[in-house]
Amino acid sequence: MNITTDIRRAEGMSDAQHVPQAIAETGLTRNFLIDLLMKMVHRHGYERPSRIAEAMRLSPNVVHELLDMAKEKALLVILGQPGASMSAELRYRITEKGREWAIAAAERSAWIGPVPVPIDQYIQTARDQSVRHEQLTAAALAGVFSELTLSDDLMDRIGPAVNSGASILLYGPPGNGKSSIAAAVCSAFSDTILVPHALSVGTDVILFFDPAVHVPVSVDGDSASRLRRVVPHDPRYVRCHRPYAIVGGELSLEKFDLIRNPTNGLYTAPLQFKASGGLFVVDDFGRQRHAPQALINRLIVPLESGTDHLVLESGRKIEVPFDNLVIFATNFEPRSLMDEAGLRRLRHKILIDRPDRKAFVKILVRAAQQSAMNLDEETLTYIMFDLYGQHPSARFNAFHPRFLIEQCRSICAYQNIRPQLTPQILDQAWDNLMRAH
């Protein structure tokens, strides 16, 4: 690290909170930045420094430094001011030499977008904003779990597991809230993190920001100005909520690796890397093409060391953070999935069982209220005794209430009557529910 970085560390400022004001502070070479500048000017026809700075996600100081270099190399020429005002921006035009430079640069790297963050800078940023820095209290978890009906005993197991930062296995019969619990845990995190648009490893570029995983913090008006004043940051990053990435039966061992596009030569970060600083959920664990033991073996070192290793096509290996709260959700008995050693790696194993009668009634009442359906005592008795009571093989599941009520609404819509819960309509919904089992 250089002296400037050491000073920021002493002041409690992370690298990502500092806006680079000189080329040297970007961590990238002059040639890399000039190449990117020329590609963007050639592709998009940018003329004004402010527009270039916005597109490259750089400060005006760095952009002017680059423009001066490009002008000295005769890659750009000044067109002059667009108006009579001396305070107006200069405009630049690409030269024939500049076009040739841009074409050659595009052959070296197809990346045309925000300036990447060097991998070593991002590693430090990831450490500064680790998911393990935020602790979730009982009150915070109670708030996000308010839409679910969980026992106090289950809450007392989930809370410490989440705060441990270790891996969690949620298991139990299907349709009882494992996936909903994982999603609720993610929403309990209140702080934000900085996510780079792209990363650089030498001249290789790794695409990182993914709208499917990263949700930018939405601000407007005065709040937007206040956020920028209070929390400045390198514009090569996007301020986001902690990420929540979920994979299911489609997960394979290959998807833990960097993916290189053979057409443009750009890499895409694997999902567990994109989820740094947040949750990585493996749903339907045990239904993947690879054996559960093989997936656990792939994750053993990252889970215990907090680092993962990715390999570029050139053979270069890079060490990256594995800063995820990992949750596995499965309908299988844990011992049927892996050996004792594998089970030990999953530090918290929590059974998400079917609700008992009392909890089921609470879920049913809540579902009816949320759907604005009248559930009186007589209707509740019919459901509990005439439907469940007369079908011994029918067991309570947490998803049943919403399923029954949604079915009733659909039946009422078809019959062109107001939404209601009557024995006749409930019988039809019940028949559909039993066919789904």
Side-chain angles (χ1 to χ4, degrees):
M1 291 187 183
N2 57 34
I3 295 176
T4 304
T5 301
D6 290 339
I7 292 173
R8 291 202 297 273
R9 286 266 170 266
E11 294 176 347
M13 178 185 290
S14 72
D15 289 337
Q17 288 178 305
H18 172 73
V19 180
Q21 298 299 325
I23 287 177
E25 294 181 0
T26 67
L28 299 166
T29 66
R30 292 172 179 266
N31 285 342
F32 185 97
L33 292 172
I34 284 289
D35 279 359
L36 184 55
L37 168 69
M38 297 312 302
K39 284 185 290 185
M40 298 189 83
V41 171
H42 182 245
R43 168 74 65 84
H44 301 293
Y46 298 143
E47 295 182 344
R48 292 177 171 80
S50 59
R51 185 66 188 92
I52 295 171
E54 179 185 359
M56 296 185 73
R57 305 299 199 278
L58 290 175
S59 68
N61 288 350
V62 177
V63 169
H64 282 296
E65 193 176 345
L66 290 172
L67 289 172
D68 287 342
M69 291 172 56
K71 189 172 60 174
E72 290 174 6
K73 294 177 180 293
L75 305 178
L76 296 173
V77 294
I78 296 176
L79 284 176
Q81 296 166 326
S85 172
M86 294 301 293
S87 62
E89 274 192 288
L90 292 174
R91 292 184 299 142
Y92 292 80
R93 177 175 60 80
I94 191 169
T95 65
E96 187 58 36
K97 181 180 179 182
R99 291 189 185 90
E100 293 173 357
W101 185 294
I103 293 170
E107 292 176 353
R108 290 190 290 271
S109 172
W111 177 244
I112 302 179
V115 170
V117 175
I119 188 69
D120 57 338
Q121 287 187 9
Y122 173 67
I123 288 172
Q124 186 56 56
T125 297
R127 290 172 181 159
D128 292 338
Q129 59 191 21
S130 171
V131 68
R132 291 163 181 79
H133 292 340
E134 186 176 5
Q135 298 297 299
L136 300 180
T137 64
L141 286 173
V144 299
F145 284 128
S146 61
E147 294 299 310
L148 303 175
T149 303
L150 305 180
S151 67
D152 291 340
D153 178 65
L154 183 55
M155 287 291 294
D156 288 342
R157 297 193 65 192
I158 293 173
V162 170
N163 282 311
S164 73
S167 53
I168 300 171
L169 175 66
L170 303 179
Y171 69 98
N176 288 288
K178 294 184 290 296
S179 300
S180 298
I181 288 172
V185 168
C186 185
S187 64
F189 291 107
S190 60
D191 60 355
T192 59
I193 65 172
L194 294 173
V195 177
H197 285 279
L199 298 171
S200 67
V201 181
T203 58
D204 287 308
V205 174
I206 302 172
L207 311 184
F208 195 88
F209 178 82
D210 182 347
V213 176
H214 304 117
V215 179
V217 175
S218 59
V219 292
D220 51 24
D222 292 338
S223 61
S225 300
R226 185 162 56 251
L227 180 63
R228 286 195 294 270
R229 287 197 303 271
V230 174
V231 192
H233 65 82
D234 185 334
R236 293 178 293 173
Y237 291 84
V238 182
R239 184 167 292 283
C240 297
H241 298 284
R242 289 196 178 275
Y244 169 55
I246 182 169
V247 292
E250 78 283 1
L251 178 65
S252 63
L253 290 174
E254 295 79 16
K255 292 187 177 181
F256 288 109
D257 301 327
L258 288 169
I259 302 169
R260 183 178 183 273
N261 185 320
T263 302
N264 59 28
L266 301 176
Y267 290 89
T268 298
L271 203 55
Q272 83 278 2
F273 189 23
K274 291 179 182 178
S276 293
L279 263 70
F280 180 62
V281 179
V282 181
D283 204 4
D284 285 330
F285 185 50
R287 298 192 186 279
Q288 288 74 25
R289 174 163 56 89
H290 296 285
Q293 186 72 54
L295 294 174
I296 291 295
N297 289 344
R298 167 60 179 84
L299 293 173
I300 281 177
V301 173
L303 283 170
E304 296 192 344
S305 67
T307 60
D308 198 2
H309 291 88
L310 304 176
V311 182
L312 298 170
E313 197 171 78
S314 63
R316 178 177 177 180
K317 183 180 291 187
I318 56 174
E319 185 177 286
V320 300
F322 189 85
D323 181 48
N324 313 91
L325 177 60
V326 182
I327 298 179
F328 298 89
T330 183
N331 301 331
F332 295 103
E333 165 61 36
R335 293 184 184 279
S336 70
L337 296 173
M338 66 199 81
D339 59 21
E340 289 292 336
L343 284 174
R344 285 198 301 272
R345 310 295 183 184
L346 303 179
R347 301 300 174 83
H348 299 271
K349 292 169 277 292
I350 303 174
L351 172 64
I352 311 298
D353 210 347
R354 294 181 173 87
D356 58 20
R357 179 177 292 270
K358 181 178 179 181
F360 182 81
V361 170
K362 286 183 178 180
I363 298 171
L364 183 58
V365 169
R366 172 174 291 168
Q369 291 173 341
Q370 291 174 339
S371 297
M373 301 277 275
N374 181 43
L375 179 65
D376 55 28
E377 192 69 31
E378 183 179 348
T379 303
L380 180 59
T381 300
Y382 183 80
I383 292 172
M384 299 302 292
F385 291 95
D386 289 80
L387 295 182
Y388 282 94
Q390 297 302 316
H391 295 80
S393 62
R395 304 177 65 184
F396 296 134
N397 277 283
F399 80 94
H400 282 184
R402 185 170 299 280
F403 184 99
L404 287 170
I405 287 172
E406 288 177 352
Q407 287 285 315
C408 288
R409 291 187 70 89
S410 298
I411 294 167
C412 292
Y414 174 71
Q415 296 179 0
N416 196 26
I417 60 176
R418 65 177 178 79
Q420 55 192 286
L421 302 174
T422 66
Q424 295 77 15
I425 295 172
L426 280 166
D427 283 345
Q428 292 184 58
W430 177 263
D431 184 60
N432 288 337
L433 175 62
M434 291 298 99
R435 289 175 186 273
H437 275 266

